[in-house]
Amino acid sequence: MNIHSLKTTDKIPEPTLRRLPWYLSNARLMKENGELYISSTQIARELGMDSSQISKDLSYVNVNGKPRVGYEINEFIEILEHILGFTEIHKAFLFGVGSLGGALLADSGLQHFGLEIVAAFDINPQIVGKEINHIPIYHTDEFIQKMKEEKVHIGVLTVPINIAQEITETMINGGIQAIWNFTPFRIRVPESIVVQNTSLYAHLALMFNRLNLNK
Amino acid sequence: MNIHSLKTTDKIPEPTLRRLPWYLSNARLMKENGELYISSTQIARELGMDSSQISKDLSYVNVNGKPRVGYEINEFIEILEHILGFTEIHKAFLFGVGSLGGALLADSGLQHFGLEIVAAFDINPQIVGKEINHIPIYHTDEFIQKMKEEKVHIGVLTVPINIAQEITETMINGGIQAIWNFTPFRIRVPESIVVQNTSLYAHLALMFNRLNLNK
């Protein structure tokens, strides 16, 4: 198998992309348990999902199953990791070393999924010049210079909401192409810029609301 | 205004619940800037959204606007915070003090949004008995006892995927009613249990995929 020949630039629908990590983690578990093959039917049973949904999702991924036995498990894992971008290291800069920003710097787990935060930026003199988890923290003014030194496409946004838009624009002007936005602020960006919103607070709100309904 | 009379148990659609935190953070910013009133039109302009969408979302929230001037900003903020559950403290237990779990314990920001992690559980003898950010870490075996001591409804799941389902069942058997699942594993739960999936890795995958499309 030559994974470089895969057409990974085909547009995979977002709901499918959200489900693929479930299939991947399921396959990793089954591999740990000694399985050599994996099928949509098995994944469906394990995850309590409809197997036709899984087959449809996997049709976007160039993985070839054998009738009756299913997909060869190592190939299945390799292809999914490749499609999901976890096999390549993507360098990132983080903006805003507050409580959440500091926590993300401390989370080495991100690197196993392809994200390496190579530096962080803040303006607080108490933390500029320090390191967290061996990641250096620079003054925000040094960002443009650091962009010249490192090939970074991704910016992680963990600043207070009152400067979220301003820092977004700083990032884009410096050449950042994708923003992982952890703020509950809806940032405005040109169409060419990728934004992934991960507001822990919005997720909390959803959970609290559903929990109250059950009371 | 008596916020206790609000019918917050009405079913608010999930997409609306996902957008309300944007309106809230926008209102907080406008308040900081000295504004006394806020309108759908203003929010729409600030967020680059359609104002009819905003009006529709706000129709699920019992906030009364005045023609021309809009909503009184303090009332607007108070009602949204209440609906989103940020004014009440919800106690939680965290399971799995690895890299991400430890990072979440260190993130004091969650408390400002209504989540207080009161204890964590793990089986690693290196960390059981220690504290992170003043939050005690107990052995998982002590969970049932701790549930009797504290009124906790929420469990934060940050364990490795191979024990995600097992720990989910432990939590539910102990009385946990809502699970904030940070693992990329699709946990199976009874219908009465609330699950909020926040897989940072699935979000990373989405971002990497979109970034590759733009290359």
Coordinates of all heavy atoms in Angstrom, one line a residue, chain B residues 1 5 13 19 26 40 43 45 69 91 99 114 120 126 128 132 143 147 149 176 181 203 205 209 215:
Chain B
M1 N -36.7 41.5 38.0 CA -36.7 40.3 37.3 C -36.4 39.1 38.3 O -35.5 39.2 39.1 CB -35.6 40.3 36.3 CG -35.5 39.0 35.5 SD -34.0 38.9 34.6 CE -32.8 39.1 35.9
S5 N -38.1 32.2 38.0 CA -39.3 31.9 37.4 C -39.1 31.5 35.9 O -40.1 31.2 35.2 CB -40.3 33.1 37.5 OG -39.7 34.2 36.7
P13 N -32.9 24.0 21.4 CA -32.2 23.2 20.4 C -30.6 23.3 20.6 O -30.1 24.4 20.9 CB -32.6 23.8 19.0 CG -33.8 24.6 19.3 CD -33.7 25.0 20.7
R19 N -24.7 28.5 20.1 CA -24.5 29.9 19.8 C -24.6 30.9 20.9 O -24.0 31.9 20.9 CB -25.4 30.3 18.6 CG -25.0 29.7 17.3 CD -25.9 30.2 16.1 NE -27.2 29.7 16.2 CZ -27.7 28.7 15.5 NH1 -27.0 28.0 14.7 NH2 -29.0 28.3 15.7
N26 N -20.1 38.3 23.6 CA -20.3 39.6 23.0 C -20.9 40.7 23.9 O -20.4 41.8 24.0 CB -21.1 39.4 21.7 CG -21.0 40.6 20.8 OD1 -22.0 41.3 20.6 ND2 -19.9 40.9 20.2
S40 N -30.2 42.5 18.7 CA -29.9 41.4 17.8 C -29.1 42.0 16.6 O -28.1 41.4 16.1 CB -31.1 40.8 17.2 OG -31.9 40.3 18.3
I43 N -25.5 42.6 17.7 CA -24.8 41.3 17.8 C -24.5 40.8 16.4 O -23.3 40.3 16.1 CB -25.6 40.3 18.6 CG1 -25.9 40.8 20.0 CG2 -24.8 39.0 18.7 CD1 -26.8 39.9 20.9
R45 N -24.0 42.3 13.7 CA -23.0 43.1 13.0 C -21.6 42.7 13.6 O -20.7 42.4 12.9 CB -23.2 44.6 13.3 CG -22.5 45.5 12.2 CD -22.7 47.0 12.6 NE -24.0 47.4 13.0 CZ -24.3 47.9 14.1 NH1 -23.4 48.2 15.0 NH2 -25.6 48.3 14.4
V69 N -34.3 50.1 21.3 CA -33.1 50.1 22.1 C -32.5 48.7 22.3 O -31.3 48.5 22.5 CB -33.2 50.8 23.5 CG1 -33.4 52.3 23.3 CG2 -34.4 50.2 24.3
K91 N -20.6 20.4 40.8 CA -19.4 19.7 41.2 C -19.2 18.5 40.3 O -20.1 17.9 39.8 CB -19.7 19.2 42.7 CG -19.6 20.2 43.7 CD -19.7 19.6 45.1 CE -19.7 20.7 46.2 NZ -19.7 20.2 47.5
S99 N -2.0 13.1 31.1 CA -1.6 14.4 30.6 C -2.8 15.4 30.5 O -2.8 16.5 31.0 CB -0.9 14.2 29.2 OG -0.5 15.4 28.7
G114 N -18.9 27.6 36.0 CA -19.8 26.7 36.7 C -19.4 25.3 37.0 O -20.2 24.5 37.5
A120 N -10.2 13.9 42.0 CA -9.9 13.1 40.8 C -9.5 11.7 41.3 O -9.2 11.5 42.4 CB -8.7 13.8 40.1
Q126 N 2.0 6.5 41.8 CA 2.8 7.7 41.8 C 2.0 9.0 42.1 O 2.6 10.0 42.5 CB 3.5 7.9 40.4 CG 4.3 6.7 39.9 CD 5.6 6.6 40.6 OE1 6.3 7.7 40.7 NE2 6.1 5.4 40.9
V128 N -1.7 8.9 43.2 CA -2.7 8.8 44.2 C -2.2 9.3 45.5 O -1.1 9.0 45.9 CB -3.1 7.3 44.3 CG1 -4.0 7.1 45.6 CG2 -3.9 6.8 43.1
I132 N -3.4 18.3 42.7 CA -3.1 19.2 41.6 C -4.0 20.4 41.7 O -5.2 20.2 41.8 CB -3.2 18.6 40.2 CG1 -2.2 17.4 40.0 CG2 -3.1 19.6 39.1 CD1 -2.3 16.8 38.6
F143 N -13.9 5.8 44.9 CA -14.9 6.6 44.3 C -16.3 6.5 45.0 O -16.9 7.5 45.3 CB -15.0 6.2 42.8 CG -16.3 6.6 42.1 CD1 -16.7 8.0 42.1 CD2 -17.1 5.7 41.4 CE1 -17.9 8.3 41.4 CE2 -18.2 6.0 40.8 CZ -18.6 7.4 40.8
M147 N -18.5 9.5 46.6 CA -19.8 9.8 46.1 C -20.8 10.0 47.2 O -21.7 10.9 47.2 CB -20.4 8.8 45.2 CG -20.0 8.9 43.7 SD -20.5 10.4 42.9 CE -22.2 10.0 42.3
E149 N -20.0 11.1 50.2 CA -19.6 12.3 50.9 C -19.9 13.6 50.2 O -20.2 14.6 50.8 CB -18.1 12.3 51.2 CG -17.6 11.1 52.1 CD -16.1 11.0 52.1 OE1 -15.4 11.9 51.8 OE2 -15.7 9.9 52.5
I176 N -23.3 8.8 38.9 CA -23.0 10.0 38.0 C -24.1 10.1 37.0 O -24.5 9.0 36.4 CB -21.6 9.8 37.4 CG1 -20.5 9.9 38.4 CG2 -21.4 10.7 36.2 CD1 -20.3 11.3 39.0
N181 N -17.0 13.5 28.2 CA -16.1 12.6 27.6 C -15.0 13.2 26.7 O -15.3 13.6 25.6 CB -16.9 11.5 26.8 CG -16.0 10.5 26.1 OD1 -14.9 10.3 26.5 ND2 -16.5 10.0 25.0
H203 N -11.3 17.2 16.9 CA -11.3 18.6 16.5 C -10.0 18.9 15.7 O -10.0 19.6 14.7 CB -11.4 19.6 17.6 CG -12.8 19.6 18.2 ND1 -13.3 20.5 19.1 CD2 -13.9 18.7 18.0 CE1 -14.5 20.3 19.4 NE2 -14.9 19.2 18.8
A205 N -8.3 16.7 14.0 CA -8.5 16.0 12.7 C -9.2 16.8 11.7 O -8.8 17.0 10.6 CB -9.2 14.6 12.9
N209 N -7.5 18.3 8.3 CA -8.1 18.0 7.1 C -8.5 19.2 6.2 O -8.2 19.3 5.1 CB -9.4 17.1 7.3 CG -10.0 16.6 6.0 OD1 -10.8 17.2 5.4 ND2 -9.6 15.4 5.6
K215 N -4.2 23.6 0.9 CA -2.8 23.6 0.5 C -2.6 23.7 -1.0 O -3.4 23.1 -1.7 CB -2.1 22.4 1.0 CG -1.3 22.7 2.3 CD -0.6 21.4 2.8 CE -0.2 21.5 4.3 NZ 0.2 20.2 4.8

